[in-house]
Every structure is written in structure tokens, then in C-alpha cells.
Amino acid sequence: MLPRGLQACVLAAWLCAPVALTAAPPPAAPALSAAIAPQPLAAALRTFQDLTGLQGAYVADVVARAHTRGARAGLSPAEALARLLRGTGLTFEFLNARTFTVYARRRTTTPSVPPAATENSAQQIIITAARGGELLSRVPVDAFVWSADALQASGVKNIADLSALTPGVAFDFFSTVGSGVYTDLTMRGIIDRHGSATGIFFDDIALPAARINTFGRALPFYFDIKSVEVWRGPQGTLLGADTQGGAVKFVPNEPDLTQASGLAHAEWAVTARGGPSYEAGAAAGGPLIPEQLGFRLSAWYRADGGYVDRVDPFTGTVVDASSNRVSSRSARGALTWSPTESLSITPSFSYVSTRAHDSPSFFTYLSDPGAGVLDNGSLLPQPFDDTFHLASVKVSATGEAAAVTSLTAYYHRAGNLTVDDTESVKWGGWGNPLGPAFPASYANAVVTYTRLRQNLFSQELRLTPARPDSPLTWLAGLAYSNTRDTEAYHVVGQYIPVLAGPLDASNSTTTAQSQLAGYGLVERRLLRHFTLSAGLRLEYDDYDSRSLAVPVFQGTGHQTLAVPRLSLSYESGGHDVGYVSAARGYSPAGVDAALPTCFENPMPYPADTVWSYELGWKIGLFEGAARVNATVFEARWNNGPAVTGNCLVTHVPGGAASSGFELAGDATVSESRQLRAMLALSYIDARYTDTVRSGGVLIVNRGDALGTPPVVTSPWNVSAALERDLLLGERTHLAVRAADVFHSRNPGPFYTAISGSPFFAPGLGSDPSTNLVNLRATVRRDGLEIAAFLDNVFDAQPTLLKRNKGVDVSNLYYATTFRPRTLGVAAPWRF
């Protein structure tokens, strides 16, 4: 919890802020003193600003691919902007007397998503709100949005990069399990007892996690993406299950019916003491029949060089240098047909595949990160192949009273994982004097082969008013999904001491789960500045799970859940918004798959729910030159009456709470608009709220930090950047960017430090505080960019995610660290 004094200050500031705000004055600027010739829109807008003295606050992505027919001299600023944007699919709005914004026009016939967003909220960002494209500064939700340009400028390559740069978001993995595929994505410290508490969506389609854990998370690609939206806080009312902490939404580029465009990208980088990384991608799209038929195609490949060597644990000889290399590939095709102004049909198909050659973890007793020695002593390579296919059809139609959107999707995922399970004390010890988990020879190898298959069919219908600007707006929807997961395990060992013989065990658990939900949201404007919003989701869930274990297991269950959301917001005439909200998140009941390495059978589990309360304010300063978003939150949930988990993960019972705040700011700090400062920070305090005993034994104290170290929440998270833009010539720009990311150590205390508890593990602790500095310089000319970047400037190599196999109390620890200092060059070309 925040100190009471700080809570009072935040509340007072929130209540008093509307008094100080006034509506923006109408724009007053001289008419165009000279004509603007036909040319690329970006250059024309710069000329317009020079001629009128007005300031543009828009995202480069929005205007980069557009061309204008020009504007004649003598037009007023509003008339000139309208003429410059004619035929581009864009529109404009004056934010105050000196600032205008440009964004994609939302066709009244087809609810669409404008292609704008940045890594923070100083500019007028547009997000895929449930009612269609909507200005982020006006939406009563805590969102952090990344545009394609921001992702490129920040060097984001994967979900780990994205979470590190987004305060309040954490991405971890179990360093002890294979190629780092047992992942953990959390927001605001909210965790679930049985699976993921953060949803991942691609083009509004939920990508399911595997049962009980995220198992790698077959993640969308980052190439040819319009934006990535991070929605913090429960989103269950509109987005559904497994969004207790929040959601990450990937918004792809869609076919354009009016203008052709393309993207080519190439990158090469070298990592200190590691292998090279490189990528290449191309995308193109545009109208086949203007205003009626358009397409978008993309293909991408990336290879990430490794930096951890797999060595012979007995001799130290390198067996496979830089063994943790990863290759990824994707392809997507989409076609939009709009036979009338009121109807559009968009089928699409996406393919994503990732292959990890080996584990990114190193053995702490074989390694010295400070000296650049990262050695993995596993007896076997641990590859992981993960592929998914996603096919969908989106139909949007608009009538006189309402617009309807239908989204049909089919998702298939196949994952194959090999895990070296040798280093565990549960096998009875191998006779190595270093300890019972240490093997004595290659004959001790125990290997687990894991096979995951997922199939999802989903159908959603969404109804919205044809006129979203009316005092009463609403949203209604129906959603159905059917998921079938199969997890199969096969464990083999030549000789297991505790069994006094060989091990050859297998198991397979198949769970079919269906969800049928109806949801709605109503917003009513009260007086002039206030809006009341109320939403409700009613969902029926059922599951049927079967296992081939002996004895054979079969489990079924069903439930009905109500998931409400309520908010009251205040919007000033200057486009600033304050809000207070309460929301519920949930995950449905199901079954934990049988794990033969744990010698455990499947185990049913109940639904989980969380309540979250939020107070936020989004305010613009200095005539649009700066914007600040501030949010205070508290979430509460209960982990049930009993300990749950398996040999890989433990969830202790009792209540839990997470509270804190998030602050994001963005400002232009020079009159010439050439220097920009960005700051985002969060504070999270996540703790158990009950003292719990099991069988008379103390297992957790009230006030213990939430989670099992090292997978615990970092309290303080700060991301800061400075960007300087210099004009080198009439059409050439140089942008220099420095970014710093800080994560603090969680001081605990942790339940694993309670002596006498069955979970006592004194060797486990939280990660140390970390600091990562990245530099980037980019030269831009028209649509071509050439960038040089230096990531991890100071070659920081902290020991992270240090743990042993499962809950074994052994002295063989695994850990990971940052990718060492990496120097590279990237060249995107937009045409």
C-alpha cells in the first residue's frame, strides 16, 4: 500500500485537477502564405507547420506512407489541412490553439482501427478500444502503447524486451526447465494459481496458454505490426478469461483499399562472447481494386545468436559453443473485400514458428558471469520447437442503427520439447561427491520428451451503435470458444537409484474446455464532462479432462461466472481525463496435467477471481507539448484453503493483495521540438495477506512477499529515454536516442525462508537490482532508415532467476543473465 499521506495527496490532486483545466481555445493562425505542392504528406505537413507556426502532434507511422495533392495559398489552417489530407484516409483535430493531430479516419461504414500508437502517451495515440479506434488520452483505462516506430527505436525483439521496457509488466521463465519455455508473464504482480493471469491477443483473437502454465507462449511476431497495446488491470468483462493482471494486444497492419505501401527490413548484430544475430523481412500491400479489394502480405526470418556454451560437466570441454541460439520465422496474408460502403470481409492467415537450439541457462558452479563465462553443464541438448497457425475471417457491416462485427478464428499449435531431467535429488543421488543432484557420468542421463498440441475454435459477434458520438453509447457481444489441449510426457532413464532399475514412464492428459459468454457495456454522459460506464460479462464454462495414467483419470466440471466492471470518468474540454474504476478478472476451473517427472496424477482446480480498484488521471500540459498519465491501483484475491502445485511450482494458500502506482510522462523540452524526454515508472507491493498453517506447520506469514523466488515482482521499475532529432538536410534527419531501464530487488521476506516449513529453501532469493543502458543513432531520408545500435552498453551480467530443480533443496543451481553487449546495424525501408 502507498503511505496514507501519499494516498491523500494523489486523491486531492485527482479531485482538484478538473478545476484548473479549461477548454482549448479555437485555433487562430494566419492563412497559408504560399501554396504547398503535391508531395509526400510528411514533408507537406512540415511545410504547413513552417508556414502557419502551428505544431503537429502525430505519429510518424500515420503519415509516412501517404501522399498529398497539395493545398493552394490563402486557405485557412483548417481548410489547408482538410485539403492536404483529402484522399489519404486521414483526418485531423485541433487539440488547442497551437497544436493539431492527424490520425486515421474511422469509416462510419466499417469500424476499423487507426494505425497510430507510441510507446507512451504524450501524443494523441489511438488504441483498439472495444468500440473501435479511440484516442488513448480519452479512454478510462491504464494502457501503454507501442507503435511500430517505437518498437524499432527501442530495439524490441520479443516479449522479454517489451516487458522490461514497460513498467508494471514482468516476463520470467524457469531457468531449470529446458529451453526456458516454462514462462511467466505478469502485470501488477497479479499471479494465478494454475496458469497465466495475463492474456495475449493477436488481431483481437485470444491465444491460449497451455494448461497449468504458459509453456513457452507461442507468441505473435513483431514484424509488420501496427502497434502493441499493453492494457494493465483486469480486462475480463470485455476480453474474457485469464486477463486478471491485464492483456497484451498485437495489432497487425491490415490491407489498405486506397494506397499501396511496403516495408523491407534487414539487421545484423554481433554479441560479445557470442554468435551473430540477423534478420530479414518484407511486407507489401495495397488496393487490387481501389476502394473495394486490397491485400497485405508479409514474411520474416530472424536468427538470434547464442552466448551460453554447453560444456562437458566432468572436463569443462566446450561441447557446443553459443548453444542457446534461436531461429524464428513468420508469414501472414490478409485480403479485404469491401463490395459496399457498409460491408467489409477480411480473411487472414498467420504462421509463426520458433526453434530454440538449447537452454539459455547456465550452471552457477561452472560459470563466472562477471568474467563473461556462461557454461551449461547439461548432459543433453534441450531443443524446443513451437509452431502455430492462425486462420480468421472478420466481417464488419454497418446499418442505420448499429454496426456488427463477426470474428471467426481457428488456431492450431504444436510444441515439442526435450528436457534434461538428470540433475534432481528425487532420483536418489548419483554418487557424485558434489551432491546428490550432480551426475557422475553420461550414463546417468534422464530425459523427458514433452509434446503439446492445442486446437482452438472461437466465434465472436460484437454490436456497436452506428453513431458512437451520441450521449448514450453501448456495446454488446456474444463469444464462444472451444479449446482442446493435449500434453504428453515420456521420461527415460537407463538406471534410477531410487527405483533400482531403469525408468520408462509416459502419460498424456487431454482437456477439452468450452466457454460461452454474453457481455455488454453501456456508457452514459452525465452533465457536460462526466461519463458513467457499466459493463457485465456472464459466462458459462465447462471442461472434460482425461489422462492415460494408471489409474486412469477423468474429470469434468462446469460453472457460471459474472464479471462486472464499473467506471466514472471526467473529461475536460482540453481532452484530459480522470477516472475511477472497479473491475473483476477471472480464470476458469480446469485440470493440471499429469507430470511423470513429479510422479503425480492430474489434479482438478477451481476458478480464480480478482477484484481491482483503480484511480487514474491523464493530463496534457504546456499546450500539448507534454502529457502525464498517473494511476493508483489495488487488487485483491484469494489462493484458496490448500497448497496447490507440483514439483515444478508451488502456490501457497490464503489471501493476497497487490497495490501501487504507475506514472508515465512524455515531453518536448525544446522550442524547436528536437529534444524529447520520456519517463515511465511503476511501484508494486504484492504480498500475502494471511498467516497460514498446514498440519500445524507455519508455511506463510502475513506480509510475506508474493511468489516463489526468484520469480517474484520487482517493486520499482523505471524506463527513461532521451531522444534528439537533428536536421541534416532538406530531407535527411538524424535521431540519437539513449534509454535506461532499472528494476529493483524485491527485499522479501519470502515464505521459502521459514525454517521448519516443507518449502524451506534458504538458497533461493530474489534477483538483484538491475540497470540496462541502450544507445541508438538513426539516419532517416524519406522512407529509408539506417540505424546503428549498442545494447547493454556496460555489458551488465547479473545472475538472474537462480534456482534449482523444482523444490529440491540441492546445491546445483541454474541461472540466466542479460544478453551481453551487442553492436548492430538495422535498415528498415518503408515505401
Side-chain angles (χ1 to χ4, degrees):
M1 286 288 292
L2 293 173
R4 291 187 181 275
L6 181 56
Q7 294 182 48
C9 291
V10 171
L11 180 59
W14 186 82
L15 293 175
C16 296
V19 178
L21 299 175
T22 59
L32 283 187
S33 58
I36 300 177
Q39 59 186 295
L41 179 59
L45 288 175
R46 288 195 295 270
T47 302
F48 172 81
Q49 294 177 71
D50 292 338
L51 292 174
T52 62
L54 297 176
Q55 176 177 321
Y58 51 86
V59 181
D61 264 3
V62 177
V63 302
R65 305 166 188 169
H67 290 258
T68 180
R69 300 172 185 173
R72 61 179 174 82
L75 294 177
S76 70
E79 292 171 333
L81 278 174
R83 187 67 60 89
L84 291 174
L85 299 180
R86 181 179 298 176
T88 65
L90 305 174
T91 188
F92 71 94
E93 180 178 350
F94 282 98
L95 305 177
N96 52 50
R98 295 184 54 79
T99 308
F100 68 93
T101 185
V102 175
Y103 55 93
R105 185 189 307 276
R106 180 166 57 183
R107 292 175 59 185
T108 57
T109 57
T110 305
S112 61
V113 181
T118 63
E119 62 188 285
N120 45 63
S121 28
Q123 302 182 34
Q124 292 298 298
I125 305 162
I126 299 175
I127 63 174
T128 59
R131 296 175 298 281
E134 191 161 356
L135 287 172
L136 174 59
S137 62
R138 301 179 186 175
V139 178
V141 66
D142 183 18
F144 199 94
V145 186
W146 293 82
S147 70
D149 278 350
L151 293 170
Q152 174 74 24
S154 299
V156 174
K157 303 295 191 302
N158 50 49
I159 193 70
D161 295 336
L162 187 77
S163 62
L165 293 169
T166 309
V169 183
F171 180 80
D172 300 305
F173 62 89
F174 281 18
S175 54
T176 56
V177 182
S179 299
V181 299
Y182 196 112
T183 55
D184 182 45
L185 178 63
T186 62
M187 292 190 192
R188 294 183 171 177
I190 298 174
I191 60 175
D192 186 89
R193 284 179 289 171
H194 312 290
S196 174
T198 301
I200 292 184
F201 295 77
F202 181 79
D203 199 16
D204 285 331
I205 301 166
L207 303 185
R211 304 307 303 166
I212 186 58
N213 62 73
T214 55
F215 190 59
R217 275 289 194 183
L219 296 167
F221 47 89
Y222 287 75
F223 180 73
D224 201 32
I225 288 290
K226 181 188 301 181
S227 64
V228 179
E229 303 172 1
V230 180
W231 293 31
R232 293 176 290 213
Q235 307 296 327
T237 303
L238 297 181
L239 298 185
D242 302 319
T243 58
Q244 303 98 299
V248 180
K249 299 184 68 177
F250 291 77
V251 183
N253 284 316
E254 296 292 357
D256 194 313
L257 301 183
T258 61
Q259 185 171 349
S261 64
L263 168 66
H265 179 84
E267 182 177 309
W268 175 271
V270 290
T271 296
R273 306 173 299 279
S277 301
Y278 53 91
E279 73 171 83
L288 297 173
I289 303 176
E291 302 289 346
Q292 293 187 33
L293 185 66
F295 76 99
R296 187 76 183 180
L297 297 173
S298 67
W300 171 81
Y301 176 83
R302 178 172 180 84
D304 287 293
Y307 50 89
V308 175
D309 296 335
R310 187 165 66 85
V311 302
D312 185 320
F314 312 114
T315 66
T317 304
V318 175
V319 176
D320 189 356
S322 302
S323 63
N324 63 316
R325 49 194 178 272
V326 178
S327 61
S328 305
R329 54 186 58 83
S330 71
R332 184 173 187 265
L335 191 71
T336 294
W337 178 44
S338 183
T340 69
E341 283 291 312
S342 60
L343 175 66
S344 71
I345 303 171
T346 302
S348 66
F349 179 81
S350 301
Y351 161 82
V352 176
S353 180
T354 299
R355 176 178 173 79
H357 181 75
D358 208 342
S359 172
S361 303
F362 57 85
F363 287 23
T364 58
Y365 85 100
L366 294 174
S367 304
D368 184 356
V373 179
L374 305 174
D375 288 345
N376 174 2
S378 296
L379 301 183
L380 305 166
Q382 301 178 84
F384 175 51
D385 292 290
D386 201 0
T387 299
F388 77 79
H389 304 82
L390 177 63
S392 68
V393 177
K394 181 183 292 185
V395 180
S396 299
T398 301
E400 293 185 2
V404 62
T405 301
S406 169
L407 182 58
T408 307
Y410 176 77
Y411 169 89
H412 172 74
R413 178 186 178 193
N416 297 287
L417 168 68
T418 300
V419 178
D420 184 344
D421 269 324
T422 309
E423 304 92 3
S424 175
V425 300
K426 66 175 173 283
W427 305 128
W430 303 110
N432 190 318
L434 293 176
F438 294 78
S441 74
Y442 278 92
N444 301 144
V446 179
V447 58
T448 298
Y449 301 100
T450 301
R451 178 178 176 270
L452 172 68
R453 297 294 183 268
Q454 288 183 294
N455 294 282
L456 164 71
F457 171 79
S458 65
Q459 172 65 58
E460 184 171 6
L461 292 174
R462 186 179 303 161
L463 200 65
T464 57
R467 293 187 57 193
D469 56 346
S470 62
L472 177 67
T473 59
W474 51 270
L475 163 73
L478 289 173
Y480 170 79
S481 67
N482 184 279
T483 307
R484 183 180 180 88
D485 294 350
T486 298
E487 295 183 45
Y489 301 87
H490 185 199
V491 188
V492 179
Q494 182 177 333
Y495 179 84
I496 307 299
V498 73
L499 301 178
L503 172 64
D504 191 340
S506 61
N507 203 343
S508 176
T509 303
T510 298
T511 300
Q513 186 155 16
S514 63
Q515 299 169 322
L516 177 63
Y519 60 89
L521 180 73
V522 177
E523 287 189 351
R524 174 68 182 180
R525 186 173 294 277
L526 307 175
L527 303 176
R528 181 180 177 183
H529 297 291
F530 290 90
T531 300
L532 180 65
S533 173
L536 178 65
R537 186 185 192 93
L538 294 176
E539 181 168 300
Y540 175 80
D541 299 318
D542 68 62
Y543 69 86
D544 186 325
S545 184
R546 302 168 186 265
S547 175
L548 301 180
V550 179
V552 173
F553 169 86
Q554 180 175 356
T556 60
H558 61 85
Q559 63 189 334
T560 300
L561 292 168
V563 188
R565 180 183 184 89
L566 184 68
S567 70
L568 177 66
S569 62
Y570 173 92
E571 182 178 345
S572 74
H575 306 292
D576 301 314
V577 171
Y579 67 93
V580 59
S581 67
R584 194 184 193 202
Y586 71 101
S587 64
V591 171
D592 288 347
L595 296 175
T597 55
C598 298
F599 301 107
E600 294 174 351
N601 290 322
M603 181 182 299
Y605 57 79
D608 272 347
T609 60
V610 60
W611 272 101
S612 178
Y613 310 93
E614 188 170 312
L615 181 71
W617 188 258
K618 305 180 180 185
I619 183 170
L621 302 170
F622 310 116
E623 297 185 338
R627 177 161 289 276
V628 176
N629 291 358
T631 306
V632 179
F633 67 87
E634 180 174 85
R636 290 187 171 271
W637 67 99
N638 196 290
N639 290 320
V643 176
T644 61
N646 51 45
C647 65
L648 295 178
V649 62
T650 300
H651 295 290
V652 300
S658 175
S659 59
F661 68 88
E662 291 143 351
L663 179 68
D666 182 353
T668 301
V669 295
S670 67
E671 293 185 2
S672 60
R673 303 191 299 273
Q674 292 182 333
L675 182 61
R676 187 175 171 212
M678 294 148 279
L679 175 68
L681 65 90
S682 70
Y683 173 76
I684 302 171
D685 185 20
R687 299 190 179 275
Y688 296 104
T689 57
D690 297 324
T691 296
V692 179
R693 296 178 181 272
S694 178
V697 178
L698 178 67
I699 59 174
V700 64
N701 283 304
R702 174 185 174 90
D704 281 352
L706 187 71
T708 302
V711 184
V712 293
T713 298
S714 172
W716 288 98
N717 303 273
V718 183
S719 176
L722 280 175
E723 189 172 285
R724 176 78 171 179
D725 189 84
L726 301 173
L727 185 63
L728 301 183
E730 183 178 352
R731 297 156 54 195
T732 305
H733 288 254
L734 169 65
V736 181
R737 178 188 177 93
D740 188 9
V741 180
F742 170 80
H743 298 285
S744 71
R745 174 181 172 272
N746 190 322
F750 305 108
Y751 75 89
T752 52
I754 299 176
S755 179
S757 164
F759 309 112
F760 180 59
L764 298 182
S766 60
D767 286 344
S769 296
T770 62
N771 203 66
L772 194 65
V773 177
N774 298 329
L775 300 176
R776 190 179 190 94
T778 304
V779 176
R780 296 192 301 266
R781 182 179 176 89
D782 298 330
L784 177 63
E785 297 181 8
I786 299 178
F789 59 88
L790 183 62
D791 294 339
N792 194 358
V793 172
F794 299 108
D795 203 19
Q797 298 282 263
T799 297
L800 305 174
L801 300 176
K802 178 185 174 183
R803 62 173 295 158
N804 47 23
K805 283 281 189 184
V807 295
D808 295 336
V809 181
S810 74
N811 58 344
L812 197 163
Y813 291 96
Y814 308 74
T816 186
T817 189
F818 294 144
R819 173 175 288 273
R821 182 188 294 117
T822 299
L823 175 65
V825 60
W829 177 37
R830 294 179 175 87
F831 54 91

